[in-house]
Amino acid sequence: MTDIMETIDPQTAQLLKQYTDRLMNLERQKQELMNDIKDVMAEAKSNGFDIKIIRKIITILKKDPNKIAEEEALLETYKAALGLI
Amino acid sequence: MTDIMETIDPQTAQLLKQYTDRLMNLERQKQELMNDIKDVMAEAKSNGFDIKIIRKIITILKKDPNKIAEEEALLETYKAALGLI
Amino acid sequence: MTDIMETIDPQTAQLLKQYTDRLMNLERQKQELMNDIKDVMAEAKSNGFDIKIIRKIITILKKDPNKIAEEEALLETYKAALGLI
Amino acid sequence: MTDIMETIDPQTAQLLKQYTDRLMNLERQKQELMNDIKDVMAEAKSNGFDIKIIRKIITILKKDPNKIAEEEALLETYKAALGLI
DNA sequence: AGTCGATTTTTGGGAC
DNA sequence: GTCCCAAAAATCGACT
């Protein structure tokens, strides 16, 4: 292992900093949204809903409906091919 | 597959819808941010930066410095114990 | 940040080594299985099957059938609650 | 959802079944190994080791040492460029 | 090189 | 509070 430390010229360093700044900003916003989601979940729970179920619903809704139909169709085709129906 | 269909009373259904709507909206915004992050990463990469390393930088910046030092120290301890140093 | 390096007593170090050895051994076996899977996939492909589809089938088959039915039922319940059917 | 059902000729179906059987068998074995790994991890934890760090050790042991040194060096370079050192 | 799927890591909720 | 389990995200790698 060499102990050589490569250096980055100032201009490139500045560019790097711009990228990390932009990324940190986006990450911060994302974290806020995640907190918001947690809050809504907690509120739903306090109104008697099962968080676990709500999450499942969201998961399903996020899936493209076509995806769901596709998956189902493929499974049927496979079952038919193997005489499982 | 059973044909049992649970039902939900209309008022509860409406409340459920409000929650899932809010959550889906937040999820959508989160997805947009994740796409933005991916875009910035791609741009950084096209300018010659190593995305893998940039990700590590972001991880470091997001973490509590003390936590990082602790983990690093423990890793060194384990490596020493295993004769890896 | 302290520069203190904790040390592990020899007996504990040996125990640690036993764990890492066992884990590395299991990881090696897992890697072999993953390679086997890749080989079978390649063979299936050479016999005209669409690997992408085969992977999807495996994914579906790995899911507990009950899980699939559950998911479907939940989706139906939700749709019904929101008048989407 | 359409009611279209694709069909597969019997011989192809049988071949498909052979492949999925072999794959499911391999997947099952892989799952067992993954469970074993989890068990060992749990045991190590119950003996006072930090699982997170053990995982890092395993990652290091699986990786090419040169790769690790390279990545480490580049990370240091970036950190220096950002004034994080 | 870019997309996609698989794997690993992280997170969040529940139990005790 | 801490530990465990399940779900989601980040990372990694294969194939095109």
Side-chain angles (χ1 to χ4, degrees):
Chain A
M1 187 192 312
T2 70
D3 282 330
I4 293 171
M5 164 64 77
E6 295 290 337
T7 57
I8 291 183
D9 71 87
Q11 197 175 355
T12 306
Q14 192 178 353
L15 190 54
L16 177 59
K17 177 147 181 48
Q18 282 171 11
Y19 283 126
T20 56
D21 283 351
R22 284 168 67 190
L23 289 169
M24 282 305 282
N25 189 35
L26 291 168
E27 291 283 352
R28 191 180 43 69
Q29 293 179 60
K30 181 155 74 80
Q31 195 56 50
E32 278 171 19
L33 281 172
M34 287 165 70
N35 290 338
D36 290 349
I37 288 170
K38 249 185 25 181
D39 289 348
V40 175
M41 290 285 190
E43 190 190 326
K45 178 183 175 159
S46 76
N47 276 325
F49 292 105
D50 184 334
I51 286 191
K52 202 166 168 180
I53 302 298
I54 297 236
R55 272 177 197 279
K56 280 198 185 179
I57 290 170
I58 298 298
T59 301
I60 293 170
L61 288 177
K62 281 204 292 187
K63 264 200 208 178
D64 180 3
N66 290 340
K67 274 274 182 79
I68 297 174
E70 250 180 64
E71 224 174 66
E72 196 64 20
L74 178 60
L75 186 59
E76 292 308 306
T77 302
Y78 171 70
K79 282 179 172 171
L82 300 181
L84 297 176
I85 292 181
Chain B
M1 193 188 311
T2 70
D3 281 331
I4 293 172
M5 166 64 73
E6 297 291 335
T7 57
I8 295 178
D9 73 86
Q11 197 175 355
T12 306
Q14 191 178 354
L15 192 53
L16 175 60
K17 175 148 179 51
Q18 282 170 12
Y19 282 125
T20 55
D21 282 352
R22 284 168 69 190
L23 288 168
M24 284 304 282
N25 188 35
L26 291 168
E27 291 283 351
R28 191 182 41 70
Q29 292 178 59
K30 181 152 72 81
Q31 195 54 49
E32 278 171 19
L33 281 173
M34 287 166 67
N35 289 338
D36 289 350
I37 288 170
K38 243 180 45 176
D39 289 348
V40 175
M41 289 287 190
E43 190 190 326
K45 179 182 175 157
S46 77
N47 276 325
F49 293 105
D50 186 328
I51 286 191
K52 197 169 170 178
I53 307 298
I54 295 218
R55 283 212 197 94
K56 285 196 182 177
I57 295 278
I58 298 297
T59 302
I60 289 171
L61 290 174
K62 284 202 296 185
K63 259 198 205 173
D64 177 14
N66 288 340
K67 272 284 175 75
I68 297 171
E70 256 178 59
E71 282 182 11
E72 195 63 22
L74 193 53
L75 180 59
E76 291 308 308
T77 301
Y78 279 27
K79 282 163 85 173
L82 295 171
L84 295 176
I85 292 180
Chain C
M1 188 190 315
T2 69
D3 281 331
I4 293 173
M5 163 65 74
E6 295 290 338
T7 56
I8 290 183
D9 71 88
Q11 198 175 355
T12 306
Q14 193 180 352
L15 190 54
L16 177 60
K17 179 146 179 49
Q18 282 170 13
Y19 283 126
T20 55
D21 282 352
R22 284 168 68 190
L23 289 169
M24 284 304 282
N25 188 35
L26 291 167
E27 290 283 351
R28 190 182 42 70
Q29 293 178 58
K30 179 152 76 83
Q31 195 54 50
E32 278 171 18
L33 281 172
M34 287 165 67
N35 289 339
D36 289 349
I37 289 170
K38 252 186 21 184
D39 289 348
V40 175
M41 289 285 190
E43 189 190 325
K45 178 184 175 159
S46 77
N47 276 325
F49 291 104
D50 185 334
I51 285 191
K52 203 167 168 178
I53 302 297
I54 297 235
R55 281 217 194 88
K56 279 197 186 179
I57 290 171
I58 297 297
T59 301
I60 292 170
L61 289 177
K62 280 203 296 186
K63 264 200 208 177
D64 180 1
N66 290 340
K67 274 276 182 78
I68 297 174
E70 251 180 62
E71 220 173 69
E72 196 65 20
L74 178 61
L75 185 60
E76 292 308 307
T77 301
Y78 172 71
K79 282 179 173 171
L82 302 181
L84 297 176
I85 292 181
Chain D
M1 192 189 309
T2 69
D3 281 332
I4 293 172
M5 166 66 71
E6 295 292 335
T7 56
I8 295 179
D9 73 86
Q11 197 176 356
T12 305
Q14 191 180 354
L15 192 53
L16 175 61
K17 176 150 179 50
Q18 283 170 11
Y19 282 125
T20 55
D21 282 352
R22 285 169 67 191
L23 288 169
M24 284 304 281
N25 188 36
L26 291 168
E27 291 283 353
R28 191 180 43 69
Q29 293 180 58
K30 181 152 74 82
Q31 195 55 48
E32 279 171 17
L33 281 172
M34 287 167 69
N35 290 339
D36 290 349
I37 288 171
K38 241 180 47 175
D39 289 347
V40 174
M41 289 286 190
E43 189 190 326
K45 179 180 177 162
S46 77
N47 276 324
F49 293 106
D50 185 328
I51 286 191
K52 197 168 169 180
I53 307 298
I54 295 221
R55 280 214 198 90
K56 284 197 182 177
I57 295 278
I58 298 298
T59 302
I60 289 170
L61 289 175
K62 286 201 294 186
K63 256 198 206 173
D64 177 16
N66 289 340
K67 271 283 175 75
I68 297 172
E70 257 178 57
E71 282 181 13
E72 194 64 21
L74 193 52
L75 179 60
E76 291 307 307
T77 302
Y78 279 28
K79 282 164 86 172
L82 294 170
L84 295 177
I85 294 182

